[in-house]
Amino acid sequence: MEFTGYLDFWFKDRPIVERVAPFIDLGVKRFDVWCWRSAPIAEISAECKRLGGIINSTFDEDMGSLADPADNEKTLRTWAESLEMAERYGVEHLFIFSNQVDIVDGKEWTRRLSRNVTEAEQYANLLNQTEKILKLVEQTKVEVWVEALNEFHIQGGVLVHDHDLAADWIRRMNHPQFRLAFDCYHQQRTAGNLMYGVEAYWGLYPTFHIGDCPTRQEPGTGEINFPNLAKKLRELGFDGLIGMEFSPSDNEAAAFERVKKIFG
């Protein structure tokens, strides 16, 4: 297993570009960045190259909604732009969500659909658009990760909000560059059943995110039994990425030691 560090969550006492170096000092060389359009992605990439790291993943904060037929032209355009960016800066993975999420008055809301569309119609549109997007993805080395976003703190309804539907989406596409990001925080907020999911979705997820609930801090600060999950991952032979998408409760070095004690 290899750890990936989320620059938006760790070392927040300094500018985001300057967060790469302390991660490198901890031995972490893969970095995840939120919202590539508003992030200084070129500067982060340059700092990663200077220090021997890489940008592991990011996502487009304005990709549009795959669930909304009115956004079809936009989602194809923004995905073409995201893939061009990823190839330029060596980003290996891009996240995909079913809905556009916006920040309104400091809270996360899914963007209202352009018209009344049934969930079945939304899902059909999502599948059709994904097929078109994957035609673009095939021209690159980028791998796309599906993330099911929870509806606890994201208001307004998310079409793909649990791993069951995310897994269905991935299996229907049946594409080697289209995988699942198993996110413990989002899944626990939405449906729980983490141990079931680790087994049921085995083979679909190359990355496993370990924010605890309810505070989205490191393992051991909340309600999730991470030692049992780590044990099951080892039994299954998981050798993928461990995404540290959480805010350390204390200092970063101590949080990383807690993670390594469980997953190292």
Side-chain angles (χ1 to χ4, degrees):
M1 301 182 196
E2 183 177 0
F3 301 107
T4 76
Y6 271 77
L7 296 179
D8 295 84
F9 287 77
W10 290 56
F11 304 106
K12 291 191 287 187
D13 60 336
R14 64 199 76 189
I16 193 167
V17 176
E18 296 177 14
R19 300 173 193 177
V20 173
F23 259 127
I24 292 286
D25 291 341
L26 291 177
V28 177
K29 296 184 178 181
R30 287 181 172 270
F31 306 105
D32 307 279
V33 184
W34 279 26
C35 306
W36 72 260
R37 291 185 188 273
S38 55
I41 200 75
E43 292 85 350
I44 293 171
S45 175
E47 184 72 349
C48 286
K49 289 179 180 178
R50 186 180 75 85
L51 296 173
I54 63 169
I55 300 178
N56 179 62
S57 75
T58 188
F59 63 85
D60 182 359
E61 68 271 36
D62 192 32
M63 70 176 71
S65 178
L66 293 170
D68 191 344
D71 271 3
N72 285 353
E73 181 179 347
K74 176 175 184 175
T75 54
L76 286 179
R77 172 176 52 80
T78 58
W79 266 94
E81 293 167 353
S82 287
L83 290 165
E84 190 278 330
M85 176 279 306
E87 292 228 291
R88 183 189 309 168
Y89 297 117
V91 180
E92 295 189 354
H93 310 102
L94 292 172
F95 283 94
I96 192 168
F97 316 118
S98 62
N99 294 77
Q100 173 67 42
V101 178
D102 299 315
I103 305 298
V104 181
D105 296 328
K107 296 182 179 181
E108 293 178 283
W109 287 82
T110 52
R111 188 172 297 173
R112 182 176 297 177
L113 300 181
S114 60
R115 59 182 175 84
N116 290 331
V117 187
T118 67
E119 287 193 358
E121 290 171 326
Q122 292 176 48
Y123 196 47
N125 191 78
L126 173 147
L127 296 175
N128 288 335
Q129 281 299 102
T130 304
E131 288 182 351
K132 295 174 183 178
I133 289 167
L134 287 175
K135 294 296 183 183
L136 302 176
V137 173
E138 288 171 357
Q139 301 172 39
T140 74
K141 296 181 179 179
V142 175
E143 188 172 87
V144 177
W145 287 347
V146 173
E147 185 164 21
L149 303 176
N150 79 82
E151 295 183 301
F152 183 86
H153 71 255
I154 299 174
Q155 306 298 310
V158 181
L159 178 63
V160 180
H161 61 268
D162 62 48
H163 285 164
D164 279 340
L165 192 54
D168 180 78
W169 184 3
I170 292 161
R171 287 169 174 148
R172 284 174 185 263
M173 293 300 102
N174 190 29
H175 196 289
Q177 289 170 269
F178 198 66
R179 311 291 300 283
L180 174 68
F182 193 111
D183 192 301
C184 292
Y185 173 78
H186 282 296
Q187 180 69 3
Q188 181 71 3
R189 281 293 200 189
T190 297
N193 289 327
L194 295 178
M195 191 68 79
Y196 161 81
V198 166
E199 295 185 291
Y201 316 128
W202 175 247
L204 299 182
Y205 53 91
T207 185
F208 192 82
H209 293 190
I210 56 172
D212 212 336
C213 269
T215 57
R216 205 173 195 175
Q217 295 175 311
E218 72 268 18
T221 58
E223 65 195 32
I224 298 175
N225 191 331
F226 281 105
N228 274 359
L229 292 172
K231 180 181 177 183
K232 178 56 66 175
L233 288 174
R234 292 189 190 94
E235 290 174 357
L236 292 170
F238 181 75
D239 191 31
L241 302 174
I242 299 295
M244 297 189 293
E245 191 178 16
F246 60 77
S247 298
S249 63
D250 192 1
N251 69 77
E252 286 81 2
F256 190 41
E257 286 302 315
R258 294 186 189 108
V259 169
K260 288 192 294 183
K261 186 175 181 180
I262 298 172
F263 290 96

